[in-house]
Amino acid sequence: MSDDSHSLRSGGLTATVKAHGAELCSLKDGGGVEFVWQAGPEWPRHAPLLFPIVGRLAKDELRHRGKTYRMTQHGFARDSRFAWAERGESRCTLVLQDSETTRALYPFAFRLTAIYTLDDAGLDLTLTIANTGKETLPVSIGGHPAFNWPLQPGLAKESCALTFAGAESSPVRRLEGGLLRPATEPSPVKGAVLPLSESLFRDDAVIFDRIESNAVRYAASSGPWLKMSWRGFRELGVWSKPSGAPFLCIEPWRGYASPAGFDGEFSDKPGLMHIAPGAEESLSFRIEVGSS
């Protein structure tokens, strides 16, 4: 059994998780269809965890009680090695705790636990953030799973769409220089359907900061499909490389990039959770897969 990764099995499904970043790097159905992007040259990741921030801070600087810390985009969890706490046939648990290294970037005590559970229909990921310190923990967290686009080789990218659980008419947000633009934009969703095309990502991610749905289906008219549902997350990002790349990221978030012009204390940044000492917050998302 490798210390670097662990494979899960249930029914015909298999999944592989790495200790580096507690990152999902494969999810296959019984027919061997791979749903997760295999970290090609266009983007070298699969499904990183975003913690303790989602997006960017202005100048990559976190300010807390008169000190400035360097915190780069999406935080450090995705580049940290998690410890295995459990490794079973269909479930594994990984843990990241604050250390001298993390406190040099983020001066707070925490424990982040990631539990992957595979069943015959899909994969669950539960993320729990515990405040192990003596002051309020200001924090964000997000998923960033990348899926093959299209899911079936040979299909046109434009044949794929996202279908939300309900209509999504609220305006969306966009980024400029990695920061949240002040103005909203009309939703590109038509009713409950978001048609997919490379041009959708010319202005980086599409950010649903007033998402009504808690689930979305990603599919073409036939072939493999996946459904992502989430609990505890309040925002959703949809992203691909603006230059075009064969993957699509569907990202449940609790938090988002700093608004352009915000340059205050980190704890005052919009979108954060504030977890009391000794308390914890759990959020989860599920990826179901199939073929039609």
Side-chain angles (χ1 to χ4, degrees), residues 8-15 24 26-30 35 89-91 115-125 147 225-229 285-290:
L8 306 174
R9 291 175 176 77
S10 182
L13 299 189
T14 61
L24 174 70
S26 176
L27 177 61
K28 293 182 181 179
D29 68 10
F35 288 84
E89 183 178 359
S90 60
R91 172 181 158 124
I115 302 175
Y116 288 91
T117 308
L118 189 68
D119 59 38
D120 292 3
L123 179 73
D124 283 286
L125 171 58
F147 304 107
W225 56 264
L226 70 84
K227 177 185 173 186
M228 179 177 284
S229 54
F285 64 85
R286 175 172 172 80
I287 306 164
E288 296 176 67
V289 298

mmCIF file of all heavy atoms in Angstrom, residues 8-15 24 26-30 35 89-91 115-125 147 225-229 285-290:
data_model
loop_
_atom_site.group_PDB
_atom_site.id
_atom_site.type_symbol
_atom_site.label_atom_id
_atom_site.label_comp_id
_atom_site.label_asym_id
_atom_site.label_seq_id
_atom_site.Cartn_x
_atom_site.Cartn_y
_atom_site.Cartn_z
ATOM 1 N N LEU A 8 -10.048 3.515 -3.844
ATOM 2 C CA LEU A 8 -11.319 3.081 -3.269
ATOM 3 C C LEU A 8 -12.093 2.305 -4.325
ATOM 4 O O LEU A 8 -11.996 2.606 -5.525
ATOM 5 C CB LEU A 8 -12.141 4.295 -2.817
ATOM 6 C CG LEU A 8 -11.465 5.285 -1.874
ATOM 7 C CD1 LEU A 8 -12.368 6.498 -1.646
ATOM 8 C CD2 LEU A 8 -11.132 4.615 -0.547
ATOM 9 N N ARG A 9 -12.900 1.340 -3.855
ATOM 10 C CA ARG A 9 -13.732 0.552 -4.772
ATOM 11 C C ARG A 9 -15.099 0.319 -4.152
ATOM 12 O O ARG A 9 -15.215 0.042 -2.958
ATOM 13 C CB ARG A 9 -13.083 -0.805 -5.072
ATOM 14 C CG ARG A 9 -11.826 -0.714 -5.916
ATOM 15 C CD ARG A 9 -11.145 -2.064 -6.105
ATOM 16 N NE ARG A 9 -9.993 -1.938 -6.997
ATOM 17 C CZ ARG A 9 -8.819 -1.425 -6.635
ATOM 18 N NH1 ARG A 9 -8.640 -1.004 -5.394
ATOM 19 N NH2 ARG A 9 -7.833 -1.330 -7.509
ATOM 20 N N SER A 10 -16.116 0.419 -5.008
ATOM 21 C CA SER A 10 -17.477 0.065 -4.585
ATOM 22 C C SER A 10 -18.290 -0.244 -5.828
ATOM 23 O O SER A 10 -18.371 0.582 -6.744
ATOM 24 C CB SER A 10 -18.129 1.207 -3.799
ATOM 25 O OG SER A 10 -19.423 0.824 -3.366
ATOM 26 N N GLY A 11 -18.886 -1.433 -5.875
ATOM 27 C CA GLY A 11 -19.581 -1.839 -7.084
ATOM 28 C C GLY A 11 -18.618 -1.792 -8.247
ATOM 29 O O GLY A 11 -17.513 -2.310 -8.187
ATOM 30 N N GLY A 12 -18.986 -1.079 -9.311
ATOM 31 C CA GLY A 12 -18.082 -0.958 -10.453
ATOM 32 C C GLY A 12 -17.236 0.296 -10.424
ATOM 33 O O GLY A 12 -16.413 0.497 -11.316
ATOM 34 N N LEU A 13 -17.424 1.139 -9.419
ATOM 35 C CA LEU A 13 -16.706 2.410 -9.381
ATOM 36 C C LEU A 13 -15.362 2.281 -8.682
ATOM 37 O O LEU A 13 -15.210 1.500 -7.741
ATOM 38 C CB LEU A 13 -17.530 3.482 -8.665
ATOM 39 C CG LEU A 13 -18.885 3.850 -9.254
ATOM 40 C CD1 LEU A 13 -19.449 5.070 -8.539
ATOM 41 C CD2 LEU A 13 -18.798 4.105 -10.744
ATOM 42 N N THR A 14 -14.395 3.069 -9.143
ATOM 43 C CA THR A 14 -13.100 3.182 -8.463
ATOM 44 C C THR A 14 -12.735 4.659 -8.360
ATOM 45 O O THR A 14 -13.106 5.468 -9.223
ATOM 46 C CB THR A 14 -11.977 2.433 -9.209
ATOM 47 O OG1 THR A 14 -11.832 3.009 -10.516
ATOM 48 C CG2 THR A 14 -12.273 0.952 -9.317
ATOM 49 N N ALA A 15 -12.010 4.993 -7.314
ATOM 50 C CA ALA A 15 -11.518 6.361 -7.131
ATOM 51 C C ALA A 15 -10.131 6.279 -6.516
ATOM 52 O O ALA A 15 -9.823 5.344 -5.773
ATOM 53 C CB ALA A 15 -12.448 7.163 -6.228
ATOM 54 N N LEU A 24 -8.379 14.255 -5.035
ATOM 55 C CA LEU A 24 -8.960 13.225 -5.887
ATOM 56 C C LEU A 24 -8.271 13.282 -7.246
ATOM 57 O O LEU A 24 -8.201 14.348 -7.868
ATOM 58 C CB LEU A 24 -10.466 13.488 -6.051
ATOM 59 C CG LEU A 24 -11.209 12.582 -7.034
ATOM 60 C CD1 LEU A 24 -11.313 11.165 -6.485
ATOM 61 C CD2 LEU A 24 -12.595 13.158 -7.333
ATOM 62 N N SER A 26 -8.674 10.435 -9.615
ATOM 63 C CA SER A 26 -9.332 9.552 -10.576
ATOM 64 C C SER A 26 -10.701 9.154 -10.053
ATOM 65 O O SER A 26 -10.872 8.933 -8.847
ATOM 66 C CB SER A 26 -8.487 8.286 -10.813
ATOM 67 O OG SER A 26 -9.155 7.373 -11.667
ATOM 68 N N LEU A 27 -11.667 9.083 -10.955
ATOM 69 C CA LEU A 27 -12.988 8.523 -10.659
ATOM 70 C C LEU A 27 -13.474 7.847 -11.935
ATOM 71 O O LEU A 27 -13.717 8.513 -12.945
ATOM 72 C CB LEU A 27 -13.973 9.614 -10.212
ATOM 73 C CG LEU A 27 -15.404 9.159 -9.932
ATOM 74 C CD1 LEU A 27 -15.437 8.136 -8.793
ATOM 75 C CD2 LEU A 27 -16.307 10.350 -9.613
ATOM 76 N N LYS A 28 -13.554 6.513 -11.887
ATOM 77 C CA LYS A 28 -13.920 5.730 -13.065
ATOM 78 C C LYS A 28 -15.175 4.914 -12.795
ATOM 79 O O LYS A 28 -15.384 4.431 -11.678
ATOM 80 C CB LYS A 28 -12.790 4.766 -13.454
ATOM 81 C CG LYS A 28 -11.526 5.425 -13.961
ATOM 82 C CD LYS A 28 -10.506 4.368 -14.347
ATOM 83 C CE LYS A 28 -9.209 4.981 -14.852
ATOM 84 N NZ LYS A 28 -8.219 3.948 -15.199
ATOM 85 N N ASP A 29 -15.975 4.739 -13.872
ATOM 86 C CA ASP A 29 -17.143 3.869 -13.740
ATOM 87 C C ASP A 29 -16.778 2.433 -14.113
ATOM 88 O O ASP A 29 -15.611 2.123 -14.422
ATOM 89 C CB ASP A 29 -18.307 4.401 -14.580
ATOM 90 C CG ASP A 29 -18.071 4.315 -16.094
ATOM 91 O OD1 ASP A 29 -17.085 3.673 -16.528
ATOM 92 O OD2 ASP A 29 -18.884 4.894 -16.845
ATOM 93 N N GLY A 30 -17.769 1.571 -14.081
ATOM 94 C CA GLY A 30 -17.520 0.151 -14.330
ATOM 95 C C GLY A 30 -17.020 -0.139 -15.726
ATOM 96 O O GLY A 30 -16.383 -1.170 -15.961
ATOM 97 N N PHE A 35 -13.640 10.143 -15.409
ATOM 98 C CA PHE A 35 -14.360 11.421 -15.348
ATOM 99 C C PHE A 35 -13.441 12.576 -14.945
ATOM 100 O O PHE A 35 -13.698 13.725 -15.309
ATOM 101 C CB PHE A 35 -15.523 11.315 -14.357
ATOM 102 C CG PHE A 35 -16.657 10.459 -14.861
ATOM 103 C CD1 PHE A 35 -16.619 9.077 -14.713
ATOM 104 C CD2 PHE A 35 -17.739 11.026 -15.511
ATOM 105 C CE1 PHE A 35 -17.644 8.280 -15.193
ATOM 106 C CE2 PHE A 35 -18.759 10.238 -15.999
ATOM 107 C CZ PHE A 35 -18.727 8.860 -15.849
ATOM 108 N N GLU A 89 -11.585 0.041 2.189
ATOM 109 C CA GLU A 89 -11.887 -0.352 0.818
ATOM 110 C C GLU A 89 -12.704 0.717 0.096
ATOM 111 O O GLU A 89 -12.483 0.983 -1.085
ATOM 112 C CB GLU A 89 -12.662 -1.676 0.803
ATOM 113 C CG GLU A 89 -12.953 -2.173 -0.608
ATOM 114 C CD GLU A 89 -13.670 -3.509 -0.637
ATOM 115 O OE1 GLU A 89 -13.936 -4.076 0.439
ATOM 116 O OE2 GLU A 89 -13.956 -3.982 -1.748
ATOM 117 N N SER A 90 -13.651 1.347 0.802
ATOM 118 C CA SER A 90 -14.523 2.314 0.144
ATOM 119 C C SER A 90 -14.514 3.677 0.838
ATOM 120 O O SER A 90 -15.311 4.547 0.504
ATOM 121 C CB SER A 90 -15.960 1.780 0.093
ATOM 122 O OG SER A 90 -16.443 1.555 1.411
ATOM 123 N N ARG A 91 -13.595 3.861 1.795
ATOM 124 C CA ARG A 91 -13.557 5.124 2.530
ATOM 125 C C ARG A 91 -12.132 5.400 2.991
ATOM 126 O O ARG A 91 -11.403 4.488 3.382
ATOM 127 C CB ARG A 91 -14.504 5.025 3.724
ATOM 128 C CG ARG A 91 -14.438 6.194 4.707
ATOM 129 C CD ARG A 91 -15.417 5.931 5.831
ATOM 130 N NE ARG A 91 -15.074 6.667 7.028
ATOM 131 C CZ ARG A 91 -15.879 7.509 7.651
ATOM 132 N NH1 ARG A 91 -17.089 7.725 7.199
ATOM 133 N NH2 ARG A 91 -15.490 8.128 8.745
ATOM 134 N N ILE A 115 -12.860 13.474 4.276
ATOM 135 C CA ILE A 115 -13.327 12.083 4.261
ATOM 136 C C ILE A 115 -13.940 11.784 2.904
ATOM 137 O O ILE A 115 -14.943 12.401 2.514
ATOM 138 C CB ILE A 115 -14.360 11.815 5.370
ATOM 139 C CG1 ILE A 115 -13.784 12.132 6.743
ATOM 140 C CG2 ILE A 115 -14.829 10.360 5.315
ATOM 141 C CD1 ILE A 115 -14.797 12.005 7.877
ATOM 142 N N TYR A 116 -13.334 10.871 2.169
ATOM 143 C CA TYR A 116 -13.869 10.400 0.891
ATOM 144 C C TYR A 116 -14.593 9.073 1.117
ATOM 145 O O TYR A 116 -14.026 8.151 1.713
ATOM 146 C CB TYR A 116 -12.743 10.169 -0.109
ATOM 147 C CG TYR A 116 -12.098 11.419 -0.653
ATOM 148 C CD1 TYR A 116 -10.993 11.994 -0.030
ATOM 149 C CD2 TYR A 116 -12.597 12.027 -1.805
ATOM 150 C CE1 TYR A 116 -10.388 13.142 -0.547
ATOM 151 C CE2 TYR A 116 -11.998 13.171 -2.322
ATOM 152 C CZ TYR A 116 -10.897 13.723 -1.698
ATOM 153 O OH TYR A 116 -10.302 14.847 -2.200
ATOM 154 N N THR A 117 -15.817 8.974 0.612
ATOM 155 C CA THR A 117 -16.601 7.746 0.728
ATOM 156 C C THR A 117 -17.171 7.403 -0.640
ATOM 157 O O THR A 117 -17.897 8.212 -1.245
ATOM 158 C CB THR A 117 -17.749 7.915 1.738
ATOM 159 O OG1 THR A 117 -17.232 8.409 2.971
ATOM 160 C CG2 THR A 117 -18.440 6.577 1.992
ATOM 161 N N LEU A 118 -16.849 6.217 -1.137
ATOM 162 C CA LEU A 118 -17.322 5.759 -2.442
ATOM 163 C C LEU A 118 -18.432 4.743 -2.244
ATOM 164 O O LEU A 118 -18.315 3.837 -1.407
ATOM 165 C CB LEU A 118 -16.160 5.136 -3.214
ATOM 166 C CG LEU A 118 -16.404 4.783 -4.690
ATOM 167 C CD1 LEU A 118 -16.581 6.037 -5.533
ATOM 168 C CD2 LEU A 118 -15.266 3.932 -5.240
ATOM 169 N N ASP A 119 -19.537 4.897 -2.993
ATOM 170 C CA ASP A 119 -20.570 3.856 -3.006
ATOM 171 C C ASP A 119 -20.825 3.462 -4.452
ATOM 172 O O ASP A 119 -20.094 3.885 -5.357
ATOM 173 C CB ASP A 119 -21.842 4.327 -2.281
ATOM 174 C CG ASP A 119 -22.456 5.579 -2.884
ATOM 175 O OD1 ASP A 119 -22.444 5.713 -4.129
ATOM 176 O OD2 ASP A 119 -22.947 6.433 -2.115
ATOM 177 N N ASP A 120 -21.852 2.657 -4.686
ATOM 178 C CA ASP A 120 -22.059 2.112 -6.031
ATOM 179 C C ASP A 120 -22.490 3.167 -7.045
ATOM 180 O O ASP A 120 -22.469 2.904 -8.255
ATOM 181 C CB ASP A 120 -23.116 0.997 -5.988
ATOM 182 C CG ASP A 120 -22.618 -0.230 -5.227
ATOM 183 O OD1 ASP A 120 -21.491 -0.186 -4.702
ATOM 184 O OD2 ASP A 120 -23.373 -1.224 -5.144
ATOM 185 N N ALA A 121 -22.892 4.354 -6.573
ATOM 186 C CA ALA A 121 -23.395 5.381 -7.485
ATOM 187 C C ALA A 121 -22.492 6.600 -7.596
ATOM 188 O O ALA A 121 -22.608 7.368 -8.543
ATOM 189 C CB ALA A 121 -24.796 5.828 -7.056
ATOM 190 N N GLY A 122 -21.619 6.804 -6.606
ATOM 191 C CA GLY A 122 -20.803 8.011 -6.663
ATOM 192 C C GLY A 122 -19.886 8.168 -5.470
ATOM 193 O O GLY A 122 -19.722 7.255 -4.649
ATOM 194 N N LEU A 123 -19.311 9.352 -5.383
ATOM 195 C CA LEU A 123 -18.291 9.655 -4.388
ATOM 196 C C LEU A 123 -18.713 10.862 -3.563
ATOM 197 O O LEU A 123 -19.124 11.885 -4.106
ATOM 198 C CB LEU A 123 -16.961 9.969 -5.088
ATOM 199 C CG LEU A 123 -15.770 10.334 -4.201
ATOM 200 C CD1 LEU A 123 -15.236 9.098 -3.478
ATOM 201 C CD2 LEU A 123 -14.663 10.994 -5.026
ATOM 202 N N ASP A 124 -18.600 10.735 -2.243
ATOM 203 C CA ASP A 124 -18.841 11.842 -1.320
ATOM 204 C C ASP A 124 -17.522 12.348 -0.759
ATOM 205 O O ASP A 124 -16.637 11.553 -0.431
ATOM 206 C CB ASP A 124 -19.711 11.391 -0.140
ATOM 207 C CG ASP A 124 -21.172 11.260 -0.511
ATOM 208 O OD1 ASP A 124 -21.827 12.298 -0.674
ATOM 209 O OD2 ASP A 124 -21.651 10.122 -0.640
ATOM 210 N N LEU A 125 -17.415 13.664 -0.614
ATOM 211 C CA LEU A 125 -16.297 14.266 0.094
ATOM 212 C C LEU A 125 -16.861 15.170 1.183
ATOM 213 O O LEU A 125 -17.605 16.115 0.882
ATOM 214 C CB LEU A 125 -15.418 15.083 -0.856
ATOM 215 C CG LEU A 125 -14.326 15.938 -0.187
ATOM 216 C CD1 LEU A 125 -13.379 15.094 0.653
ATOM 217 C CD2 LEU A 125 -13.559 16.750 -1.220
ATOM 218 N N PHE A 147 -13.139 18.037 -14.562
ATOM 219 C CA PHE A 147 -13.666 16.872 -15.275
ATOM 220 C C PHE A 147 -13.332 16.993 -16.764
ATOM 221 O O PHE A 147 -13.181 18.093 -17.297
ATOM 222 C CB PHE A 147 -15.178 16.783 -15.080
ATOM 223 C CG PHE A 147 -15.591 16.741 -13.639
ATOM 224 C CD1 PHE A 147 -16.181 17.842 -13.036
ATOM 225 C CD2 PHE A 147 -15.353 15.611 -12.865
ATOM 226 C CE1 PHE A 147 -16.556 17.820 -11.700
ATOM 227 C CE2 PHE A 147 -15.712 15.581 -11.520
ATOM 228 C CZ PHE A 147 -16.314 16.680 -10.938
ATOM 229 N N TRP A 225 -22.373 10.926 -18.002
ATOM 230 C CA TRP A 225 -22.859 12.138 -17.338
ATOM 231 C C TRP A 225 -22.387 12.115 -15.890
ATOM 232 O O TRP A 225 -22.016 11.066 -15.347
ATOM 233 C CB TRP A 225 -24.382 12.240 -17.386
ATOM 234 C CG TRP A 225 -25.099 11.047 -16.792
ATOM 235 C CD1 TRP A 225 -25.595 9.965 -17.466
ATOM 236 C CD2 TRP A 225 -25.388 10.808 -15.400
ATOM 237 N NE1 TRP A 225 -26.161 9.062 -16.593
ATOM 238 C CE2 TRP A 225 -26.058 9.560 -15.311
ATOM 239 C CE3 TRP A 225 -25.155 11.518 -14.232
ATOM 240 C CZ2 TRP A 225 -26.484 9.014 -14.100
ATOM 241 C CZ3 TRP A 225 -25.582 10.977 -13.017
ATOM 242 C CH2 TRP A 225 -26.243 9.745 -12.972
ATOM 243 N N LEU A 226 -22.378 13.271 -15.271
ATOM 244 C CA LEU A 226 -22.139 13.335 -13.835
ATOM 245 C C LEU A 226 -23.046 14.386 -13.226
ATOM 246 O O LEU A 226 -23.465 15.341 -13.888
ATOM 247 C CB LEU A 226 -20.669 13.595 -13.508
ATOM 248 C CG LEU A 226 -20.014 14.928 -13.795
ATOM 249 C CD1 LEU A 226 -20.271 15.938 -12.672
ATOM 250 C CD2 LEU A 226 -18.517 14.748 -13.963
ATOM 251 N N LYS A 227 -23.346 14.169 -11.968
ATOM 252 C CA LYS A 227 -24.158 15.118 -11.204
ATOM 253 C C LYS A 227 -23.388 15.474 -9.946
ATOM 254 O O LYS A 227 -22.896 14.592 -9.237
ATOM 255 C CB LYS A 227 -25.501 14.490 -10.830
ATOM 256 C CG LYS A 227 -26.377 15.393 -9.958
ATOM 257 C CD LYS A 227 -27.636 14.668 -9.523
ATOM 258 C CE LYS A 227 -28.438 15.492 -8.524
ATOM 259 N NZ LYS A 227 -29.599 14.744 -7.990
ATOM 260 N N MET A 228 -23.260 16.776 -9.709
ATOM 261 C CA MET A 228 -22.620 17.226 -8.475
ATOM 262 C C MET A 228 -23.668 17.912 -7.605
ATOM 263 O O MET A 228 -24.424 18.757 -8.078
ATOM 264 C CB MET A 228 -21.463 18.185 -8.756
ATOM 265 C CG MET A 228 -20.805 18.670 -7.465
ATOM 266 S SD MET A 228 -19.389 19.737 -7.760
ATOM 267 C CE MET A 228 -18.194 18.521 -8.227
ATOM 268 N N SER A 229 -23.706 17.526 -6.333
ATOM 269 C CA SER A 229 -24.587 18.170 -5.371
ATOM 270 C C SER A 229 -23.755 18.573 -4.163
ATOM 271 O O SER A 229 -22.679 18.018 -3.924
ATOM 272 C CB SER A 229 -25.728 17.235 -4.962
ATOM 273 O OG SER A 229 -25.222 15.992 -4.500
ATOM 274 N N PHE A 285 -19.644 17.676 -0.664
ATOM 275 C CA PHE A 285 -20.214 17.568 -1.994
ATOM 276 C C PHE A 285 -20.124 16.131 -2.469
ATOM 277 O O PHE A 285 -19.329 15.325 -1.970
ATOM 278 C CB PHE A 285 -19.618 18.557 -2.999
ATOM 279 C CG PHE A 285 -18.156 18.402 -3.313
ATOM 280 C CD1 PHE A 285 -17.714 17.513 -4.273
ATOM 281 C CD2 PHE A 285 -17.211 19.212 -2.689
ATOM 282 C CE1 PHE A 285 -16.373 17.399 -4.603
ATOM 283 C CE2 PHE A 285 -15.863 19.114 -3.008
ATOM 284 C CZ PHE A 285 -15.442 18.209 -3.966
ATOM 285 N N ARG A 286 -21.003 15.816 -3.427
ATOM 286 C CA ARG A 286 -21.116 14.452 -3.932
ATOM 287 C C ARG A 286 -21.057 14.487 -5.450
ATOM 288 O O ARG A 286 -21.647 15.366 -6.086
ATOM 289 C CB ARG A 286 -22.432 13.832 -3.465
ATOM 290 C CG ARG A 286 -22.715 12.441 -4.050
ATOM 291 C CD ARG A 286 -23.932 11.809 -3.379
ATOM 292 N NE ARG A 286 -24.333 10.568 -4.034
ATOM 293 C CZ ARG A 286 -23.749 9.388 -3.844
ATOM 294 N NH1 ARG A 286 -22.729 9.290 -3.020
ATOM 295 N NH2 ARG A 286 -24.179 8.297 -4.463
ATOM 296 N N ILE A 287 -20.341 13.528 -6.029
ATOM 297 C CA ILE A 287 -20.237 13.371 -7.466
ATOM 298 C C ILE A 287 -20.844 12.022 -7.836
ATOM 299 O O ILE A 287 -20.302 10.974 -7.454
ATOM 300 C CB ILE A 287 -18.787 13.436 -7.955
ATOM 301 C CG1 ILE A 287 -18.084 14.718 -7.490
ATOM 302 C CG2 ILE A 287 -18.724 13.305 -9.464
ATOM 303 C CD1 ILE A 287 -16.578 14.669 -7.616
ATOM 304 N N GLU A 288 -21.973 12.033 -8.512
ATOM 305 C CA GLU A 288 -22.578 10.800 -9.022
ATOM 306 C C GLU A 288 -22.268 10.686 -10.514
ATOM 307 O O GLU A 288 -22.243 11.706 -11.220
ATOM 308 C CB GLU A 288 -24.086 10.808 -8.804
ATOM 309 C CG GLU A 288 -24.493 10.813 -7.331
ATOM 310 C CD GLU A 288 -25.990 10.921 -7.164
ATOM 311 O OE1 GLU A 288 -26.691 9.970 -7.548
ATOM 312 O OE2 GLU A 288 -26.456 11.966 -6.666
ATOM 313 N N VAL A 289 -22.041 9.486 -10.986
ATOM 314 C CA VAL A 289 -21.691 9.289 -12.397
ATOM 315 C C VAL A 289 -22.538 8.191 -13.015
ATOM 316 O O VAL A 289 -23.053 7.311 -12.325
ATOM 317 C CB VAL A 289 -20.188 8.954 -12.558
ATOM 318 C CG1 VAL A 289 -19.327 10.096 -12.048
ATOM 319 C CG2 VAL A 289 -19.829 7.657 -11.836
ATOM 320 N N GLY A 290 -22.684 8.268 -14.330
ATOM 321 C CA GLY A 290 -23.423 7.243 -15.045
ATOM 322 C C GLY A 290 -23.275 7.448 -16.534
ATOM 323 O O GLY A 290 -22.485 8.267 -17.013
#
